[in-house]
C-alpha cells in the first residue's frame, strides 16, 4: 500500500480530518478504545484536537466527572478510556499487566503482605473522597508502606489493576465505585475482538505488529482479535466508509496516537526527526505534521503571539487564548 494512501486513510480514521471530528471528549476516547495519557496536559490536546469545538476545560471536565477514566492500561502505561469500557478493558488487560509487573514487584520487595496491607490502607483513604498523590504517599509512609520512587509507582499500578483506584478530579486518585456497572459482560474472545475493532477503526491501515505493540497483547491473542478484519497485504483495513479529505497541517500532542499508536513509525516520522520527537528515555514530544508527516516539533506556548500560522487556530481556541 502506498504511503500517501496509508496517511490519507489514517488521517480520517484517527479523526484528524475536519469531516470526522466528534462532538464530545468521551466520544473521541470511545472511538479509540484507549488513548495514551503519559503526559496529562498533552493528552487533553490529543482529545481536543479531534473535537468539533476544541475546549480544554471540556476535556478536563469529562475526566474530572468520571466520563473518561485515566489510569494504567495498555502496556502498563497510563491511558484515557471511556467509563463505559472500564470493566471489560480492565478485566482483559489487568492480568497481562500483572504478569509483566509481578517479577518486578518481587525484585522491589513488594511482598503479598505489603500489597495486602497497602490495599486496605488505600481503600480506607479513598472511601469517601479523592486524594492527591502526595497525600496518598504521606499516609502510606505512616504505615511504613511504599511511598516513594519506583516501589510506590509499582504499587499504584497494582492498585489500579485491581480496580481499587482510578483517576479523580485535578489528577487525584479516587475509588472506582462511581464507575457504572457493565451493560454487557464480554467473554475473553469477545473482549479481544472489541479491542481490535476499536484499534482498527481508529488506526487503520495497521499491521499485526502495530496492534501487538499498541495493545500489549501476545501475537496469539492479537491474531484471534483480528481474524475477522479485511487485509490488504500486511495491513488490516477499517470497514467504515471513507470520504476523501485534505490532510492538513496539525500540531499534535506529545504521545499522540498518530505516532505512538504504531510500532513502525517510519510512514509518518522521517528519520531526520526521529531523535527530536522520541527521546532516548521514551518521551514523545509534541510534533507538527504536514501532509501527515512530521515536519517540526513544538512546545506549549505561553502567549498567543508565539503562534503563527492558521493551523494554530484550533489550538488557540482549545486553550482559550483568543
Amino acid at each position: 500500500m502506498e504511503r500517501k494512501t496509508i496517511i490519507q486513510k489514517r488521517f480520517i480514521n484517527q479523526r484528524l480530518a475536519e469531516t470526522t471530528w466528534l462532538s464530545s471528549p468521551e466520544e473521541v476516547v470511545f472511538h479509540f478504545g484507549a488513548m495514551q495519557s503519559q503526559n496529562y496536559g498533552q493528552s487533553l490536546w490529543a482529545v481536543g484536537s479531534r473535537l468539533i469545538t476544541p475546549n480544554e476545560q471540556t476535556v478536563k471536565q469529562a475526566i474530572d466527572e468520571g466520563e473518561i477514566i485515566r489510569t494504567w492500561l495498555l502496556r502498563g502505561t497510563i491511558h484515557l478510556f471511556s467509563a463505559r469500557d472500564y470493566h471489560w478493558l480492565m478485566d482483559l488487560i489487568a492480568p497481562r499487566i500483572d504478569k509483566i509487573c509481578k517479577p518486578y514487584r518481587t525484585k522491589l520487595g513488594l511482598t503479598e503482605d505489603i500489597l495486602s496491607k497497602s490495599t486496605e490502607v488505600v481503600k480506607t483513604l479513598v472511601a469517601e473522597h479523592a486524594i492527591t498523590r502526595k497525600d496518598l504517599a504521606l499516609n502510606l509512609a505512616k504505615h511504613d508502606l511504599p511511598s516513594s520512587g519506583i516501589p510506590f509507582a509499582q504499587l499504584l499500578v497494582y492498585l489500579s489493576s485491581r480496580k481499587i483506584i482510578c483517576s479523580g478530579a485535578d489528577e487525584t486518585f479516587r475509588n472506582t465505585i462511581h464507575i457504572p456497572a457493565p451493560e454487557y459482560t464480554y467473554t475473553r474472545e469477545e473482549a479481544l475482538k472489541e479491542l481490535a475493532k476499536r484499534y482498527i477503526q481508529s488506526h487503520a491501515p495497521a499491521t499485526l505488529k502495530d496492534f501487538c505493540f499498541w495493545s500489549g497483547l501476545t501475537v496469539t491473542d492479537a491474531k484471534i482479535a483480528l481474524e475477522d478484519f479485511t487485509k490488504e497485504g500486511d495491513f488490516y483495513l477499517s470497514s467504515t466508509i471513507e470520504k476523501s479529505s485534505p490532510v492538513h497541517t496539525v500540531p499534535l500532542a506529545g504521545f499522540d496516537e498518530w505516532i505512538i499508536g504504531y510500532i513502525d513509525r517510519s510512514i509518518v516520522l522521517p528519520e531526520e526527526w526521529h531523535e527530536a520527537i522520541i527521546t532516548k528515555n521514551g518521551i514523545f514530544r509534541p510534533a507538527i505534521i504536514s501532509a501527515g508527516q512530521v515536519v517540526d516539533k513544538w512546545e506549549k506556548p505561553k502567549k498567543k503571539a508565539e503562534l503563527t500560522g492558521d493551523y494554530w487556530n484550533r489550538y488557540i481556541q482549545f486553550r482559550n487564548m483568543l
Side-chain angles (χ1 to χ4, degrees), residues 207-272:
T207 66
L208 171 66
K209 289 182 179 179
D210 289 329
F211 179 58
C212 284
F213 165 77
W214 178 82
S215 65
L217 295 173
T218 64
V219 173
T220 299
D221 279 344
K223 285 181 176 179
I224 293 170
L226 291 167
E227 64 185 4
D228 298 331
F229 290 91
T230 303
K231 285 181 71 176
E232 183 175 326
D234 291 332
F235 290 94
Y236 287 89
L237 305 176
S238 169
S239 60
T240 57
I241 299 173
E242 302 170 356
K243 295 182 179 179
S244 180
S245 177
V247 183
H248 49 77
T249 302
V250 182
L252 294 176
F255 294 97
D256 194 275
E257 290 292 325
W258 183 257
I259 297 174
I260 204 171
Y262 309 88
I263 194 168
D264 179 5
R265 301 167 182 127
S266 61
I267 293 169
V268 300
L269 182 60
E271 183 62 32
E272 61 266 29

Side-chain angles (χ1 to χ4, degrees), residues 37-57:
S37 185
Q38 207 103 333
N39 181 304
Y40 174 76
Q42 289 294 330
S43 67
L44 300 178
W45 172 235
V47 176
S49 61
R50 293 161 167 93
L51 291 174
I52 295 169
T53 306
N55 183 292
E56 188 172 37
Q57 292 306 313

Side-chain angles (χ1 to χ4, degrees), residues 22 37 50 55 62 66 70 75 84 117 123 125 150 158 167 189 215 222 246 271 287 302 319:
L22 295 167
S37 185
R50 293 161 167 93
N55 183 292
R70 182 174 184 259
R75 310 184 304 282
R84 288 188 280 165
K117 289 179 180 178
K123 276 184 177 180
L125 289 172
I150 296 175
Y158 174 86
S167 56
E189 183 173 326
S215 65
E271 183 62 32
K302 295 180 180 179
R319 291 280 310 283

Side-chain angles (χ1 to χ4, degrees), residues 21-87:
W21 294 336
L22 295 167
S23 56
S24 77
E26 193 271 344
E27 284 181 274
V28 174
V29 175
F30 185 84
H31 171 71
F32 277 84
M35 297 178 73
Q36 190 85 17
S37 185
Q38 207 103 333
N39 181 304
Y40 174 76
Q42 289 294 330
S43 67
L44 300 178
W45 172 235
V47 176
S49 61
R50 293 161 167 93
L51 291 174
I52 295 169
T53 306
N55 183 292
E56 188 172 37
Q57 292 306 313
T58 300
V59 184
K60 282 184 178 180
Q61 184 177 352
I63 298 171
D64 290 351
E65 294 182 356
E67 292 180 25
I68 292 174
I69 305 300
R70 182 174 184 259
T71 197
W72 289 267
L73 190 69
L74 307 179
R75 310 184 304 282
T77 57
I78 300 176
H79 281 72
L80 298 176
F81 49 107
S82 172
R84 288 188 280 165
D85 293 325
Y86 175 79
H87 290 286

Side-chain angles (χ1 to χ4, degrees), residues 265-284:
R265 301 167 182 127
S266 61
I267 293 169
V268 300
L269 182 60
E271 183 62 32
E272 61 266 29
W273 281 104
H274 193 277
E275 289 187 9
I277 300 302
I278 307 175
T279 68
K280 290 181 180 179
N281 59 345
I283 303 299
F284 283 65

Side-chain angles (χ1 to χ4, degrees), residues 107-171:
K107 288 182 180 179
L108 292 170
L110 295 175
T111 64
E112 290 301 319
D113 183 52
I114 289 173
L115 293 172
S116 178
K117 289 179 180 178
S118 299
T119 297
E120 293 309 309
V121 169
V122 173
K123 276 184 177 180
T124 301
L125 289 172
V126 299
E128 295 184 4
H129 55 80
I131 189 169
T132 64
R133 186 184 181 111
K134 181 180 178 180
D135 286 342
L136 184 60
L138 287 172
N139 278 278
L140 285 167
K142 290 177 183 178
H143 293 82
D144 295 320
L145 294 167
S147 59
S148 63
I150 296 175
F152 179 50
Q154 279 295 309
L155 176 59
L156 293 178
V157 175
Y158 174 86
L159 293 168
S160 170
S161 66
R162 260 80 180 160
K163 297 185 181 180
I164 306 299
I165 57 170
C166 68
S167 56
D170 300 318
E171 297 187 77

